Amino acid sequence: MANYVIANHVSIAKSTYKNNANIVSVDLNNIEWNANDMTEAFSECYNLERVYVSWNKPISIDNNIFDKDKTTNKIQISLYVPQGKTEIYENADGWKNFYDIQEWDPSTPPTPEIEGDVNHDGVVDVADITATAGIILNNAKQEQEIGE
């Protein structure tokens, strides 16, 4: 699973990332935004948990860019918006469909929370196993030194 930062000036078209099970979070701040062409761009991305935007004023989006829960009619993804802009997004078409809107500081990169990503590089891999072993061995060494 991965955190996607869309490169500068990339255009996203209809269904671009549809059904991509690898996306956990996405930073939409740098894209060429044409909401009319983005229908279902992130639909069926069932592991998508977080979307980050840094626009002070919400841009127009199609209601079908992200999947909605059929019973609540809400998008079951956390939306992170600039500090002080929650109310604007809660009332903006398309954006108000997110069940969870939180504030963040766009001057700091999003910090992904991936289970097992011990070294916080956005990927769970051998480096995380090595880091975990180092933590365990270091703790065991400290306990041994205390017991001596």
Side-chain angles (χ1 to χ4, degrees):
M1 300 214 209
N3 299 294
Y4 280 63
V5 176
I6 311 285
N8 286 333
H9 308 293
V10 168
S11 293
I12 294 180
K14 179 178 180 174
S15 303
T16 302
Y17 294 102
K18 184 175 182 172
N19 200 26
N20 186 331
N22 295 317
I23 300 176
V24 175
S25 69
V26 64
D27 182 339
L28 296 177
N29 296 304
N30 301 315
I31 65 170
E32 296 288 326
W33 197 270
N34 184 345
N36 295 327
D37 292 340
M38 291 182 60
T39 302
E40 299 180 344
F42 293 97
S43 68
E44 299 176 31
C45 293
Y46 297 116
N47 292 314
L48 182 57
E49 299 172 355
R50 297 174 301 277
V51 172
Y52 295 87
V53 297
S54 63
W55 309 299
N56 287 323
K57 180 181 177 195
I59 59 174
S60 175
I61 65 169
D62 183 279
N63 283 327
N64 296 318
I65 292 175
F66 302 97
D67 284 329
K68 290 183 190 171
D69 181 278
K70 291 179 181 19
T71 56
T72 64
N73 205 33
K74 290 287 188 179
I75 299 168
Q76 299 296 314
I77 300 169
S78 295
L79 174 65
Y80 291 82
V81 301
Q83 293 173 338
K85 304 300 177 187
T86 302
E87 188 174 341
I88 294 170
Y89 278 86
E90 288 174 337
N91 294 305
D93 288 338
W95 301 104
K96 65 184 174 186
N97 297 323
F98 281 82
Y99 87 101
D100 180 37
I101 300 177
Q102 300 183 34
E103 295 183 359
W104 74 294
D105 180 0
S107 67
T108 60
T111 52
E113 297 175 19
I114 300 173
E115 187 175 347
D117 183 18
V118 177
N119 62 2
H120 306 290
D121 65 355
V123 181
V124 177
D125 57 12
V126 174
D128 295 297
I129 296 168
T130 304
T132 302
I135 292 167
I136 292 169
L137 292 172
N138 190 34
N139 286 342
K141 182 180 175 187
Q142 288 176 353
E143 287 176 13
Q144 183 181 15
E145 290 172 357
I146 292 171
E148 291 178 351

